[in-house]
Amino acid sequence: MATRSRRIVRGLVTLYVLLSLVSTVALAANYPRPTNVFYVNDYANVLDQQTRQHIESVARVLESRTSAQVVVVTINDLNNEPLEEYSLGLFRDWGIGHARENNGVLILLDISGRQSRIEVGYGLEGALPDGKTGRIQDNFMVPFFRENNFSQGITEGFNVIVNEIYSEYGFDENEFVGEGALAGDERPSEEIPPIFILIGAVLVIIFVIIDFRLTGGVMTYTVIRSLGRSSGSGGSTRGGGGSAGGGGSSRGW
């Protein structure tokens, strides 16, 4: 009897872990995949070509010089999800910033909700505290957003944030305001070691086997359907950090 009870308890614990895993995967699948550019993801199509090019070139050089990443995302609708929760989840899902430094910044623009947020990783909370990111939006972004000039508002806010990061890393911020102020090569991308890929594949197989034995594959099919609904955006994740929670601020207009 005792042996049977222990088996039941172990089965329930295993089921709980699997359900938690499925829930995490399903939630992550609700976020769009980053574009190949990564630094600028204009899903709402509100930024002009010049702005997108400016963000890409400046952010690329910023990362090569400091390892920090500033990523801009515009979306049409949050589907009633709170701005702060969506921003934090997207930041972590994409892994914005360097893995060790956690020095990422996400600038998120919700068009239909007429709201914006700057999410900051732990590694930059000293350089970009809540009050400062709020002032950046109030002074450089929101006035343009109210006029539906999203390109100008994003550009102005992005430039200020980049300058603050350069200043934090010991650069003279006045040298890095304009487009193309710095030149440098992009850091080489870090490939995932094959052993990690193999371990991940084994874990997935084990998960599927256990799921079919316990539930007949219900959770596996749920994950597949969720991933299928989220596909279509394309792109590749290039961030290595994602430890958001260092601060941030939200604004409406």
Side-chain angles (χ1 to χ4, degrees), residues 38-39 63 67-71 95-98 103-105 238-240:
F38 186 68
Y39 305 107
E63 183 181 0
S67 80
Q69 292 181 329
V70 179
V71 175
I96 300 173
H98 191 274
N103 51 358
V105 176
R238 295 190 42 213

Side-chain angles (χ1 to χ4, degrees), residues 33-108:
R33 293 184 181 274
T35 64
N36 290 323
V37 176
F38 186 68
Y39 305 107
V40 54
N41 306 265
D42 185 22
Y43 300 119
N45 196 29
V46 294
L47 304 179
D48 56 39
Q49 184 64 25
Q50 181 179 358
T51 298
R52 291 194 293 268
Q53 291 176 347
H54 172 71
I55 293 171
E56 178 184 0
S57 62
V58 173
R60 192 181 299 275
V61 174
L62 174 72
E63 183 181 0
S64 71
R65 291 294 182 89
T66 67
S67 80
Q69 292 181 329
V70 179
V71 175
V72 174
V73 177
T74 73
I75 56 176
N76 280 313
D77 192 1
L78 290 181
N79 295 319
N80 297 321
E81 185 171 353
L83 177 65
E84 290 75 13
E85 293 181 11
Y86 187 93
S87 177
L88 186 62
L90 181 65
F91 191 111
R92 292 174 174 171
D93 184 61
W94 286 14
I96 300 173
H98 191 274
R100 292 188 302 272
E101 301 293 332
N102 290 317
N103 51 358
V105 176
L106 169 64
I107 304 175
L108 177 63

Side-chain angles (χ1 to χ4, degrees), residues 3 12 19-20 33 58 60 63 88 96 135 138 159-160 165 177 183 186 188 210 219 225 228 242 244:
T3 301
L12 291 174
L19 287 173
S20 298
R33 293 184 181 274
V58 173
R60 192 181 299 275
E63 183 181 0
L88 186 62
I96 300 173
R135 289 192 296 273
D138 291 337
N159 286 344
V160 175
I165 295 174
V177 173
E186 181 184 6
I210 295 175
M219 291 182 288
R225 286 194 297 269

